[in-house]
Amino acid sequence: MAEETTTPQQQAGAGRAPRGGQGGGRGQGGPRNRRPEMAPEEKQFDERVVHIDRVARVVKGGRRFRFRALVVVGDRKNRVGVGTAKGADVTAAVTKATEVAKKHFVTVPTHNGTIPHEVEAKVSGARILVKPASAGTGLIAGGTVRVVLEVAGIKNALSKSLGSSNKTNAAYATIAALQMLAPANTWVTAGDKPVKKAIKKTEKVEA
């Protein structure tokens, strides 16, 4: 009978435990220790990028291009701000504009989900008219004005742009109009006027 010969590699492999078997390999062990999934944080503010424009500055060596961003930030709870800034790239410009908007928040008085009264403001060539609306009307506005009213938390309003369509001027004109609003509790109506006291006439007694 022929004798079986084994090579040194076969002898070394015979003494090893098979992978995934009783040798405690990966397949036999428990599930890997996974990191706990972090719940996404709710944003405190609603940040909207309205417009991004590329601007150029003429220097000695040629033209240097930068980016300008217009951002509207609000908490949907009657606070809103507008900011514009420039940066070397889009991300830097948006970040700077967001910080500027947060530093210039405006508190908007509301009445039953809409603005208290009609208001109009003009900034440069842009003229914005905003009117109150009944419940269920929604926001009848377009472009920049709609974004500002949405992030401010106004649900029903009518608006009209009567001047330039420049987005930056329209945004600042809308903010100026919202700043002119007077809260409903400060109105002077007929029922709130103080009643004049009746003055009693005293008859002169002749001496």
Side-chain angles (χ1 to χ4, degrees), residues 169-188:
N169 291 338
Y172 281 104
T174 308
I175 292 295
L178 297 179
Q179 286 180 309
M180 297 168 61
L181 292 174
N185 55 7
T186 61
W187 295 352
V188 178

mmCIF file with all atom_site columns, all heavy atoms in Angstrom, residues 169-188:
data_model
loop_
_atom_site.group_PDB
_atom_site.id
_atom_site.type_symbol
_atom_site.label_atom_id
_atom_site.label_alt_id
_atom_site.label_comp_id
_atom_site.label_asym_id
_atom_site.label_entity_id
_atom_site.label_seq_id
_atom_site.pdbx_PDB_ins_code
_atom_site.Cartn_x
_atom_site.Cartn_y
_atom_site.Cartn_z
_atom_site.occupancy
_atom_site.B_iso_or_equiv
_atom_site.pdbx_formal_charge
_atom_site.auth_seq_id
_atom_site.auth_comp_id
_atom_site.auth_asym_id
_atom_site.auth_atom_id
_atom_site.pdbx_PDB_model_num
ATOM 1   N N   . ASN A 1 169 ? -33.953 94.522  -1.869 1.00 0.00 ? 169 ASN A N   1
ATOM 2   C CA  . ASN A 1 169 ? -34.772 95.662  -1.462 1.00 0.00 ? 169 ASN A CA  1
ATOM 3   C C   . ASN A 1 169 ? -36.171 95.233  -1.057 1.00 0.00 ? 169 ASN A C   1
ATOM 4   O O   . ASN A 1 169 ? -36.758 95.786  -0.117 1.00 0.00 ? 169 ASN A O   1
ATOM 5   C CB  . ASN A 1 169 ? -34.848 96.688  -2.598 1.00 0.00 ? 169 ASN A CB  1
ATOM 6   C CG  . ASN A 1 169 ? -33.524 97.368  -2.846 1.00 0.00 ? 169 ASN A CG  1
ATOM 7   O OD1 . ASN A 1 169 ? -32.656 97.416  -1.981 1.00 0.00 ? 169 ASN A OD1 1
ATOM 8   N ND2 . ASN A 1 169 ? -33.350 97.885  -4.056 1.00 0.00 ? 169 ASN A ND2 1
ATOM 9   N N   . ALA A 1 170 ? -36.736 94.233  -1.743 1.00 0.00 ? 170 ALA A N   1
ATOM 10  C CA  . ALA A 1 170 ? -38.074 93.742  -1.392 1.00 0.00 ? 170 ALA A CA  1
ATOM 11  C C   . ALA A 1 170 ? -38.079 93.104  -0.006 1.00 0.00 ? 170 ALA A C   1
ATOM 12  O O   . ALA A 1 170 ? -39.030 93.274  0.762  1.00 0.00 ? 170 ALA A O   1
ATOM 13  C CB  . ALA A 1 170 ? -38.562 92.744  -2.440 1.00 0.00 ? 170 ALA A CB  1
ATOM 14  N N   . ALA A 1 171 ? -37.015 92.369  0.325  1.00 0.00 ? 171 ALA A N   1
ATOM 15  C CA  . ALA A 1 171 ? -36.941 91.737  1.647  1.00 0.00 ? 171 ALA A CA  1
ATOM 16  C C   . ALA A 1 171 ? -36.862 92.788  2.750  1.00 0.00 ? 171 ALA A C   1
ATOM 17  O O   . ALA A 1 171 ? -37.569 92.703  3.761  1.00 0.00 ? 171 ALA A O   1
ATOM 18  C CB  . ALA A 1 171 ? -35.730 90.804  1.706  1.00 0.00 ? 171 ALA A CB  1
ATOM 19  N N   . TYR A 1 172 ? -36.013 93.795  2.558  1.00 0.00 ? 172 TYR A N   1
ATOM 20  C CA  . TYR A 1 172 ? -35.887 94.830  3.585  1.00 0.00 ? 172 TYR A CA  1
ATOM 21  C C   . TYR A 1 172 ? -37.127 95.720  3.641  1.00 0.00 ? 172 TYR A C   1
ATOM 22  O O   . TYR A 1 172 ? -37.473 96.235  4.710  1.00 0.00 ? 172 TYR A O   1
ATOM 23  C CB  . TYR A 1 172 ? -34.632 95.664  3.320  1.00 0.00 ? 172 TYR A CB  1
ATOM 24  C CG  . TYR A 1 172 ? -33.364 94.987  3.768  1.00 0.00 ? 172 TYR A CG  1
ATOM 25  C CD1 . TYR A 1 172 ? -32.504 94.396  2.848  1.00 0.00 ? 172 TYR A CD1 1
ATOM 26  C CD2 . TYR A 1 172 ? -33.028 94.911  5.116  1.00 0.00 ? 172 TYR A CD2 1
ATOM 27  C CE1 . TYR A 1 172 ? -31.343 93.758  3.254  1.00 0.00 ? 172 TYR A CE1 1
ATOM 28  C CE2 . TYR A 1 172 ? -31.871 94.277  5.536  1.00 0.00 ? 172 TYR A CE2 1
ATOM 29  C CZ  . TYR A 1 172 ? -31.031 93.709  4.609  1.00 0.00 ? 172 TYR A CZ  1
ATOM 30  O OH  . TYR A 1 172 ? -29.882 93.071  5.025  1.00 0.00 ? 172 TYR A OH  1
ATOM 31  N N   . ALA A 1 173 ? -37.816 95.912  2.511  1.00 0.00 ? 173 ALA A N   1
ATOM 32  C CA  . ALA A 1 173 ? -39.064 96.666  2.535  1.00 0.00 ? 173 ALA A CA  1
ATOM 33  C C   . ALA A 1 173 ? -40.154 95.914  3.293  1.00 0.00 ? 173 ALA A C   1
ATOM 34  O O   . ALA A 1 173 ? -40.955 96.519  4.021  1.00 0.00 ? 173 ALA A O   1
ATOM 35  C CB  . ALA A 1 173 ? -39.519 96.960  1.106  1.00 0.00 ? 173 ALA A CB  1
ATOM 36  N N   . THR A 1 174 ? -40.180 94.585  3.150  1.00 0.00 ? 174 THR A N   1
ATOM 37  C CA  . THR A 1 174 ? -41.147 93.785  3.908  1.00 0.00 ? 174 THR A CA  1
ATOM 38  C C   . THR A 1 174 ? -40.874 93.857  5.403  1.00 0.00 ? 174 THR A C   1
ATOM 39  O O   . THR A 1 174 ? -41.801 93.983  6.213  1.00 0.00 ? 174 THR A O   1
ATOM 40  C CB  . THR A 1 174 ? -41.110 92.324  3.435  1.00 0.00 ? 174 THR A CB  1
ATOM 41  O OG1 . THR A 1 174 ? -41.264 92.279  2.016  1.00 0.00 ? 174 THR A OG1 1
ATOM 42  C CG2 . THR A 1 174 ? -42.212 91.514  4.087  1.00 0.00 ? 174 THR A CG2 1
ATOM 43  N N   . ILE A 1 175 ? -39.605 93.805  5.785  1.00 0.00 ? 175 ILE A N   1
ATOM 44  C CA  . ILE A 1 175 ? -39.252 93.928  7.199  1.00 0.00 ? 175 ILE A CA  1
ATOM 45  C C   . ILE A 1 175 ? -39.646 95.310  7.725  1.00 0.00 ? 175 ILE A C   1
ATOM 46  O O   . ILE A 1 175 ? -40.174 95.446  8.842  1.00 0.00 ? 175 ILE A O   1
ATOM 47  C CB  . ILE A 1 175 ? -37.749 93.677  7.392  1.00 0.00 ? 175 ILE A CB  1
ATOM 48  C CG1 . ILE A 1 175 ? -37.408 92.214  7.095  1.00 0.00 ? 175 ILE A CG1 1
ATOM 49  C CG2 . ILE A 1 175 ? -37.319 94.029  8.818  1.00 0.00 ? 175 ILE A CG2 1
ATOM 50  C CD1 . ILE A 1 175 ? -38.020 91.220  8.056  1.00 0.00 ? 175 ILE A CD1 1
ATOM 51  N N   . ALA A 1 176 ? -39.404 96.338  6.924  1.00 0.00 ? 176 ALA A N   1
ATOM 52  C CA  . ALA A 1 176 ? -39.772 97.689  7.345  1.00 0.00 ? 176 ALA A CA  1
ATOM 53  C C   . ALA A 1 176 ? -41.287 97.821  7.522  1.00 0.00 ? 176 ALA A C   1
ATOM 54  O O   . ALA A 1 176 ? -41.763 98.510  8.441  1.00 0.00 ? 176 ALA A O   1
ATOM 55  C CB  . ALA A 1 176 ? -39.268 98.706  6.321  1.00 0.00 ? 176 ALA A CB  1
ATOM 56  N N   . ALA A 1 177 ? -42.049 97.159  6.648  1.00 0.00 ? 177 ALA A N   1
ATOM 57  C CA  . ALA A 1 177 ? -43.503 97.197  6.782  1.00 0.00 ? 177 ALA A CA  1
ATOM 58  C C   . ALA A 1 177 ? -43.968 96.481  8.045  1.00 0.00 ? 177 ALA A C   1
ATOM 59  O O   . ALA A 1 177 ? -44.873 96.964  8.751  1.00 0.00 ? 177 ALA A O   1
ATOM 60  C CB  . ALA A 1 177 ? -44.146 96.568  5.547  1.00 0.00 ? 177 ALA A CB  1
ATOM 61  N N   . LEU A 1 178 ? -43.355 95.350  8.357  1.00 0.00 ? 178 LEU A N   1
ATOM 62  C CA  . LEU A 1 178 ? -43.742 94.609  9.560  1.00 0.00 ? 178 LEU A CA  1
ATOM 63  C C   . LEU A 1 178 ? -43.371 95.378  10.821 1.00 0.00 ? 178 LEU A C   1
ATOM 64  O O   . LEU A 1 178 ? -44.036 95.248  11.852 1.00 0.00 ? 178 LEU A O   1
ATOM 65  C CB  . LEU A 1 178 ? -43.074 93.233  9.559  1.00 0.00 ? 178 LEU A CB  1
ATOM 66  C CG  . LEU A 1 178 ? -43.472 92.287  8.408  1.00 0.00 ? 178 LEU A CG  1
ATOM 67  C CD1 . LEU A 1 178 ? -42.712 90.969  8.513  1.00 0.00 ? 178 LEU A CD1 1
ATOM 68  C CD2 . LEU A 1 178 ? -44.970 92.032  8.405  1.00 0.00 ? 178 LEU A CD2 1
ATOM 69  N N   . GLN A 1 179 ? -42.316 96.185  10.765 1.00 0.00 ? 179 GLN A N   1
ATOM 70  C CA  . GLN A 1 179 ? -41.938 96.980  11.927 1.00 0.00 ? 179 GLN A CA  1
ATOM 71  C C   . GLN A 1 179 ? -42.931 98.111  12.198 1.00 0.00 ? 179 GLN A C   1
ATOM 72  O O   . GLN A 1 179 ? -43.007 98.607  13.323 1.00 0.00 ? 179 GLN A O   1
ATOM 73  C CB  . GLN A 1 179 ? -40.542 97.573  11.721 1.00 0.00 ? 179 GLN A CB  1
ATOM 74  C CG  . GLN A 1 179 ? -39.415 96.576  11.857 1.00 0.00 ? 179 GLN A CG  1
ATOM 75  C CD  . GLN A 1 179 ? -38.052 97.207  11.640 1.00 0.00 ? 179 GLN A CD  1
ATOM 76  O OE1 . GLN A 1 179 ? -37.823 97.896  10.654 1.00 0.00 ? 179 GLN A OE1 1
ATOM 77  N NE2 . GLN A 1 179 ? -37.149 96.985  12.572 1.00 0.00 ? 179 GLN A NE2 1
ATOM 78  N N   . MET A 1 180 ? -43.675 98.506  11.192 1.00 0.00 ? 180 MET A N   1
ATOM 79  C CA  . MET A 1 180 ? -44.638 99.588  11.348 1.00 0.00 ? 180 MET A CA  1
ATOM 80  C C   . MET A 1 180 ? -45.967 99.130  11.926 1.00 0.00 ? 180 MET A C   1
ATOM 81  O O   . MET A 1 180 ? -46.849 99.958  12.186 1.00 0.00 ? 180 MET A O   1
ATOM 82  C CB  . MET A 1 180 ? -44.871 100.255 9.987  1.00 0.00 ? 180 MET A CB  1
ATOM 83  C CG  . MET A 1 180 ? -43.631 100.910 9.400  1.00 0.00 ? 180 MET A CG  1
ATOM 84  S SD  . MET A 1 180 ? -43.834 101.370 7.652  1.00 0.00 ? 180 MET A SD  1
ATOM 85  C CE  . MET A 1 180 ? -45.206 102.520 7.773  1.00 0.00 ? 180 MET A CE  1
ATOM 86  N N   . LEU A 1 181 ? -46.134 97.835  12.124 1.00 0.00 ? 181 LEU A N   1
ATOM 87  C CA  . LEU A 1 181 ? -47.407 97.313  12.639 1.00 0.00 ? 181 LEU A CA  1
ATOM 88  C C   . LEU A 1 181 ? -47.575 97.679  14.110 1.00 0.00 ? 181 LEU A C   1
ATOM 89  O O   . LEU A 1 181 ? -46.625 97.636  14.891 1.00 0.00 ? 181 LEU A O   1
ATOM 90  C CB  . LEU A 1 181 ? -47.462 95.792  12.480 1.00 0.00 ? 181 LEU A CB  1
ATOM 91  C CG  . LEU A 1 181 ? -47.537 95.267  11.042 1.00 0.00 ? 181 LEU A CG  1
ATOM 92  C CD1 . LEU A 1 181 ? -47.427 93.747  11.036 1.00 0.00 ? 181 LEU A CD1 1
ATOM 93  C CD2 . LEU A 1 181 ? -48.842 95.694  10.385 1.00 0.00 ? 181 LEU A CD2 1
ATOM 94  N N   . ALA A 1 182 ? -48.812 98.023  14.469 1.00 0.00 ? 182 ALA A N   1
ATOM 95  C CA  . ALA A 1 182 ? -49.153 98.335  15.859 1.00 0.00 ? 182 ALA A CA  1
ATOM 96  C C   . ALA A 1 182 ? -50.002 97.198  16.416 1.00 0.00 ? 182 ALA A C   1
ATOM 97  O O   . ALA A 1 182 ? -50.949 96.747  15.745 1.00 0.00 ? 182 ALA A O   1
ATOM 98  C CB  . ALA A 1 182 ? -49.923 99.647  15.943 1.00 0.00 ? 182 ALA A CB  1
ATOM 99  N N   . PRO A 1 183 ? -49.690 96.685  17.607 1.00 0.00 ? 183 PRO A N   1
ATOM 100 C CA  . PRO A 1 183 ? -50.487 95.592  18.173 1.00 0.00 ? 183 PRO A CA  1
ATOM 101 C C   . PRO A 1 183 ? -51.948 95.991  18.346 1.00 0.00 ? 183 PRO A C   1
ATOM 102 O O   . PRO A 1 183 ? -52.276 97.167  18.520 1.00 0.00 ? 183 PRO A O   1
ATOM 103 C CB  . PRO A 1 183 ? -49.816 95.324  19.526 1.00 0.00 ? 183 PRO A CB  1
ATOM 104 C CG  . PRO A 1 183 ? -48.433 95.886  19.386 1.00 0.00 ? 183 PRO A CG  1
ATOM 105 C CD  . PRO A 1 183 ? -48.552 97.051  18.457 1.00 0.00 ? 183 PRO A CD  1
ATOM 106 N N   . ALA A 1 184 ? -52.816 94.987  18.300 1.00 0.00 ? 184 ALA A N   1
ATOM 107 C CA  . ALA A 1 184 ? -54.252 95.263  18.385 1.00 0.00 ? 184 ALA A CA  1
ATOM 108 C C   . ALA A 1 184 ? -54.651 95.848  19.736 1.00 0.00 ? 184 ALA A C   1
ATOM 109 O O   . ALA A 1 184 ? -55.616 96.603  19.829 1.00 0.00 ? 184 ALA A O   1
ATOM 110 C CB  . ALA A 1 184 ? -55.045 93.977  18.117 1.00 0.00 ? 184 ALA A CB  1
ATOM 111 N N   . ASN A 1 185 ? -53.906 95.512  20.797 1.00 0.00 ? 185 ASN A N   1
ATOM 112 C CA  . ASN A 1 185 ? -54.283 96.018  22.116 1.00 0.00 ? 185 ASN A CA  1
ATOM 113 C C   . ASN A 1 185 ? -53.936 97.484  22.321 1.00 0.00 ? 185 ASN A C   1
ATOM 114 O O   . ASN A 1 185 ? -54.285 98.077  23.337 1.00 0.00 ? 185 ASN A O   1
ATOM 115 C CB  . ASN A 1 185 ? -53.624 95.173  23.215 1.00 0.00 ? 185 ASN A CB  1
ATOM 116 C CG  . ASN A 1 185 ? -52.114 95.103  23.055 1.00 0.00 ? 185 ASN A CG  1
ATOM 117 O OD1 . ASN A 1 185 ? -51.538 95.788  22.208 1.00 0.00 ? 185 ASN A OD1 1
ATOM 118 N ND2 . ASN A 1 185 ? -51.473 94.266  23.855 1.00 0.00 ? 185 ASN A ND2 1
ATOM 119 N N   . THR A 1 186 ? -53.238 98.081  21.353 1.00 0.00 ? 186 THR A N   1
ATOM 120 C CA  . THR A 1 186 ? -52.908 99.503  21.461 1.00 0.00 ? 186 THR A CA  1
ATOM 121 C C   . THR A 1 186 ? -53.818 100.374 20.615 1.00 0.00 ? 186 THR A C   1
ATOM 122 O O   . THR A 1 186 ? -53.626 101.585 20.562 1.00 0.00 ? 186 THR A O   1
ATOM 123 C CB  . THR A 1 186 ? -51.448 99.745  21.024 1.00 0.00 ? 186 THR A CB  1
ATOM 124 O OG1 . THR A 1 186 ? -51.293 99.350  19.651 1.00 0.00 ? 186 THR A OG1 1
ATOM 125 C CG2 . THR A 1 186 ? -50.482 98.944  21.892 1.00 0.00 ? 186 THR A CG2 1
ATOM 126 N N   . TRP A 1 187 ? -54.793 99.766  19.954 1.00 0.00 ? 187 TRP A N   1
ATOM 127 C CA  . TRP A 1 187 ? -55.699 100.549 19.126 1.00 0.00 ? 187 TRP A CA  1
ATOM 128 C C   . TRP A 1 187 ? -56.606 101.405 19.999 1.00 0.00 ? 187 TRP A C   1
ATOM 129 O O   . TRP A 1 187 ? -56.971 101.034 21.116 1.00 0.00 ? 187 TRP A O   1
ATOM 130 C CB  . TRP A 1 187 ? -56.561 99.643  18.259 1.00 0.00 ? 187 TRP A CB  1
ATOM 131 C CG  . TRP A 1 187 ? -55.783 98.865  17.246 1.00 0.00 ? 187 TRP A CG  1
ATOM 132 C CD1 . TRP A 1 187 ? -54.475 98.992  16.932 1.00 0.00 ? 187 TRP A CD1 1
ATOM 133 C CD2 . TRP A 1 187 ? -56.294 97.802  16.443 1.00 0.00 ? 187 TRP A CD2 1
ATOM 134 N NE1 . TRP A 1 187 ? -54.111 98.094  15.966 1.00 0.00 ? 187 TRP A NE1 1
ATOM 135 C CE2 . TRP A 1 187 ? -55.205 97.351  15.644 1.00 0.00 ? 187 TRP A CE2 1
ATOM 136 C CE3 . TRP A 1 187 ? -57.523 97.198  16.298 1.00 0.00 ? 187 TRP A CE3 1
ATOM 137 C CZ2 . TRP A 1 187 ? -55.346 96.317  14.726 1.00 0.00 ? 187 TRP A CZ2 1
ATOM 138 C CZ3 . TRP A 1 187 ? -57.668 96.176  15.392 1.00 0.00 ? 187 TRP A CZ3 1
ATOM 139 C CH2 . TRP A 1 187 ? -56.595 95.736  14.610 1.00 0.00 ? 187 TRP A CH2 1
ATOM 140 N N   . VAL A 1 188 ? -57.005 102.538 19.485 1.00 0.00 ? 188 VAL A N   1
ATOM 141 C CA  . VAL A 1 188 ? -57.960 103.413 20.155 1.00 0.00 ? 188 VAL A CA  1
ATOM 142 C C   . VAL A 1 188 ? -59.251 103.363 19.351 1.00 0.00 ? 188 VAL A C   1
ATOM 143 O O   . VAL A 1 188 ? -59.340 103.914 18.255 1.00 0.00 ? 188 VAL A O   1
ATOM 144 C CB  . VAL A 1 188 ? -57.442 104.864 20.234 1.00 0.00 ? 188 VAL A CB  1
ATOM 145 C CG1 . VAL A 1 188 ? -58.476 105.752 20.901 1.00 0.00 ? 188 VAL A CG1 1
ATOM 146 C CG2 . VAL A 1 188 ? -56.134 104.908 20.993 1.00 0.00 ? 188 VAL A CG2 1
#
